[in-house]
Each structure stands twice: as structure tokens, then as C-alpha cells.
Amino acid sequence: MVEYFEHTADVGMRIKAAALPELFQEAARGLFGLIVENLDNVGAGQAWSLELSPRPLEYLLFDWLKELLYRFDQGHQIVSRCTVTVVAAGDGAGWGLQADLAGETMDPDRHVMDHEVKAITYHELAVVETASGWEATVIVDI
């Protein structure tokens, strides 16, 4: 689940999920839900993988969203589905991520832009485990 909230000249996302991989999947959906109005109309004809090396959990979420935004900015790739695996590094170096993504290239005839997301920010960035699962807060610059 993703809940949006206004934040000065930015938009915040409060993300909740039962498990950590789902939190990252919901965060991706939340990001692209800000970028395009009709995310449900985005196909899954293109597939690619992404891997991030271990780092603290908050920074892993930041880098995950930053990489997705970079791919949108450079190649206009919109993610419609993803499967994420988050693994704690054995040496205590944090958490790593492996993701299989599917989506398509932005088509202005079919995809309606909602917000121009300029950047993911560190402001109020948080990932916490709760009694019911995981919660994250991310502020994006629009």
C-alpha cells in the first residue's frame, strides 16, 4: 500500500507492506504511480534485471528508487511489475537487492504524465520494521 502526502514543494510516499520485498515492490509502484496517471495501462513487454550491492536499508531503498528514476529519465522505461529479493549481507554490510522488472517505454499516446519527478531525496527517509510488517517514508522532489 502506498499513501501520498504533500510536503512543501515535494510529494511524500508512506509505504506499508507485510514483507520487505513487497515494500520495495510497492515503492516502485508508488514512484511510477506519481509519474503516470494510468499505471494500470502500462504493459509488461520489456524485461530487465537490476542488482544493488549491500548497504544500509534506508540507502538501499533510496538507491532502488533513484535507479528506477534514472532509467525513466534516460530510456523512458516505466515499470509495471517487479519481483524483488532483499537479502541481508552475511558480513553485516547491510542489505542487497536483486529485482526482475517488466514494463515498457513511455508512449505519450497511451500514457498520461502526472508529475515530473526530479529526484528522490534523503529528507525524512526511513525504513522501519513494525508489528505488522514494514513501513517506509520517502520524499520525492517534483
Side-chain angles (χ1 to χ4, degrees):
M1 179 199 90
V2 177
E3 171 190 341
Y4 299 106
F5 60 92
E6 292 187 27
H7 187 277
T8 316
D10 302 326
V11 173
M13 295 189 299
R14 193 165 293 111
I15 307 139
K16 297 180 182 181
L20 197 51
E22 293 166 13
L23 185 80
F24 280 75
Q25 291 165 193
E26 288 296 318
R29 186 156 182 80
L31 174 64
F32 287 103
L34 281 172
I35 294 172
V36 295
E37 283 183 10
N38 53 345
L39 187 57
D40 291 335
N41 292 345
V42 177
Q46 299 171 358
W48 64 98
S49 295
L50 173 62
E51 191 169 324
L52 296 174
S53 59
R55 60 205 71 190
L57 201 49
E58 289 84 3
Y59 297 134
L60 185 67
L61 180 62
F62 175 89
D63 290 343
W64 162 244
L65 294 174
K66 186 175 100 175
E67 180 66 26
L68 295 177
L69 183 59
Y70 172 79
R71 288 172 184 253
F72 176 76
D73 288 342
Q74 296 303 307
H76 307 289
Q77 293 176 313
I78 304 172
V79 173
S80 61
R81 289 190 325 230
C82 61
T83 302
V84 176
T85 303
V86 179
V87 178
D91 60 1
W95 301 77
L97 178 144
Q98 193 284 323
D100 294 316
L101 304 114
E104 66 178 318
T105 303
M106 171 100 182
D107 179 351
D109 292 333
R110 294 185 313 110
H111 306 127
V112 179
M113 287 291 292
D114 193 8
H115 293 89
E116 178 186 351
V117 176
K118 297 176 187 173
I120 311 303
T121 74
Y122 288 107
H123 184 68
E124 295 185 30
L125 179 66
V127 177
V128 294
E129 189 171 13
T130 68
S132 60
W134 290 87
E135 292 184 14
T137 303
V138 179
I139 308 292
V140 298
D141 182 14
I142 57 169

